[in-house]
Structure formats: structure tokens, C-alpha cells
Amino acid sequence: MPKNAAHHAHEHHQVVIGLQGSSGLAGQGWEVGLDNRRACFVPTETRHDYFGNDINHVLVIDLDVSAPALSNPRHHDYDHLAPLFDRPQHLEMDNRLQNLIHLCAAELHQAPDNRSLHEHFATGIVHCLSHRLSGNRILRRRPQTFNTEVLRHYVREHLHRKITVKDLAREACLSVSRFHETFREMTGMSPHQYIIHARLDRAIELLRQPRLSLAEISLRTGFSSQGALTNAMKKHRGVTPSALR
């Protein structure tokens, strides 16, 4: 493990559990010291420093943010697991959980290439942590919103290039999975649908400028070709760009 602080971020959620020695995590406005009593939950793309001493040892579990249990509200584990990564947070572990973690860590050390064992142990550990953190209740997601005008302006200014859900989530200051859910709740459509309609709205505006060719309009509104613009316009607006012009 690194002895000095290392600044980084990940494209996955991460659970970091102290096993031995002294180490820690720190980000903007938060810091957690890790020993054999603490586990820390780090959401995807959370910039943070990791630091440790000469003998520190931690167990790290990487979680795919697109896994149904973390991204699909209909999944039976979603209400238990997804809230773990709403924000950086930590858990003080009881003796039973500490013993379980150390037992799993020892078994994993003996079988470093057994992927199936790693995945099963990781799943069990995360569920145990979730149960401890929630106590006797289900973790409920905090209602979240974002400034739709800021997002609309961002989309408008970047229509000429590819816009990803990750880009929009960053503007909304939410994780990708949380943004996708919140966006649907607020707008009634997916981010992809919203971007398509924004591109088409802008294309219709540009069609009023006779000097612009359909190819140029396609380029300015982020469609890969004139044909892509025509297909999207016909599918979503029921008319071709040429007929509309």
C-alpha cells in the first residue's frame, strides 16, 4: 500500500476497509481515518487522497456503478445498497463484523486468482455493511434536485459534440446512477431522450436560415450525418427536415 498521500478518483464505487496499521482517505470537506474498526464508502469519481504508514493494510472492494443493484430502482436490493454511495461516509464496525472481514481477507489472500470467491465474499461483506449502517430500517434516498436551467444551458452550448450522461451528472453534482434516476423523476424522460429533443429543437431553429445546408445543420446539432438528422426528425417530429424547411 502507498505510504504517502496519492490523489485520485475512480469510475467505480469503492468500499475501503482498514485491516492493519493506520491509513485514511480525505476529500473535499471530508476525511476518514482507517483502522481495523472502520469501513469507508467512496462514490464513483469522488476525488480523494489515500494515505498510510509503513505497515498499513486495507481491503478494497470495487463496485460497478452500472450493476442493477446500484443503478436500477426496481432491483430488490437497490434501496439498501445504492444509498451507501450517495456521498462519502464511513461505518464503525462491531466485533462480529471485524472478525468476518478478517476471515474473508485471509481466505482471499490464500486464493488471489479465485474470481468467483472474491465476488461472493465482496457481495456478502457489502450486504453486511449495509445492514449495519441502516440498522433496523431501510435506507431511504434523500430527495434530490438540480438546476434544470443550468443543465439546459450546458446542453445548448455543447450540442455540436457528443454529450454523455456522465457529463450531465457532473454538471448536476450527482453520481451517474443518482442523476439518471433524479432526471427521470424531474423531467419524465431519460437524459438520452432529452438530448435528442434538444438537438431537434435547435435543428428546427437553424432550418429557418436558408443559407445553411442540411449537412451543416447536422454538424452544428451533433448528428453524425444529414441522414441521421433526417431519421431522428422523422421519428420524433413526424416530418423530414427538407419538408419542414
Side-chain angles (χ1 to χ4, degrees):
M1 297 297 171
K3 300 178 182 178
N4 301 315
H7 196 60
H8 58 285
H10 308 283
E11 294 185 354
H12 44 260
H13 294 322
Q14 201 169 69
V15 181
V16 185
I17 305 170
L19 296 176
Q20 178 182 336
S22 177
S23 60
L25 297 167
Q28 186 173 4
W30 64 276
E31 181 173 347
V32 177
L34 292 174
D35 52 29
N36 61 4
R37 301 185 306 275
R38 287 196 186 97
C40 184
F41 304 88
V42 186
T44 179
E45 298 180 358
T46 300
R47 300 291 300 178
H48 59 279
D49 290 321
Y50 172 82
F51 51 90
N53 62 14
D54 292 338
I55 59 171
N56 68 284
H57 185 36
V58 297
L59 176 66
V60 179
I61 300 174
D62 295 334
L63 299 171
D64 183 357
V65 296
S66 65
L70 296 171
S71 62
N72 185 355
R74 297 182 180 86
H75 193 279
H76 57 84
D77 286 327
Y78 180 82
D79 283 339
H80 294 276
L81 300 183
L84 297 176
F85 301 99
D86 275 345
R87 66 191 186 281
Q89 57 184 321
H90 72 278
L91 169 70
E92 298 287 337
M93 300 186 295
D94 55 48
N95 289 335
R96 289 177 58 187
L97 190 51
Q98 291 177 44
N99 291 336
L100 172 65
I101 298 297
H102 281 272
L103 174 62
C104 290
E107 292 297 320
L108 294 174
H109 182 70
Q110 295 298 318
D113 299 322
N114 190 331
R115 183 176 180 83
S116 179
L117 182 66
H118 284 231
E119 291 177 352
H120 281 83
F121 276 9
T123 299
I125 290 170
V126 171
H127 275 274
C128 288
L129 293 171
S130 171
H131 178 72
R132 296 300 198 282
L133 197 61
S134 63
N136 295 321
R137 61 182 176 85
I138 295 177
L139 284 170
R140 297 295 182 185
R141 307 303 296 272
R142 301 186 310 278
Q144 286 184 287
T145 60
F146 52 81
N147 190 324
T148 55
E149 183 59 27
V150 169
L151 211 61
R152 187 197 68 80
H153 178 74
Y154 177 86
V155 171
R156 180 90 172 185
E157 291 297 311
H158 295 83
L159 283 178
H160 60 284
R161 68 172 184 82
K162 181 180 179 180
I163 303 174
T164 67
V165 176
K166 183 185 293 186
D167 295 330
L168 299 182
R170 183 178 61 248
E171 291 298 309
C173 299
L174 295 173
S175 68
V176 172
S177 58
R178 187 62 177 136
F179 171 77
H180 204 285
E181 178 188 353
T182 303
F183 192 93
R184 276 192 174 277
E185 291 174 352
M186 293 182 64
T187 67
M189 66 177 73
S190 70
H192 176 72
Q193 291 170 327
Y194 178 84
I195 293 170
I196 289 292
H197 285 289
R199 295 191 192 283
L200 292 175
D201 288 341
R202 180 57 178 158
I204 290 172
E205 293 177 5
L206 294 177
L207 284 170
R208 301 191 184 104
Q209 302 181 28
R211 290 180 298 178
L212 291 178
S213 67
L214 293 183
E216 176 64 21
I217 293 173
S218 302
L219 182 65
R220 292 192 182 190
T221 53
F223 289 98
S224 59
S225 65
Q226 180 178 328
L229 169 61
T230 299
N231 291 336
M233 186 79 72
K234 189 172 182 179
K235 177 181 179 180
H236 295 283
R237 303 300 166 88
V239 62
T240 65
S242 298
L244 190 60
R245 169 169 274 181

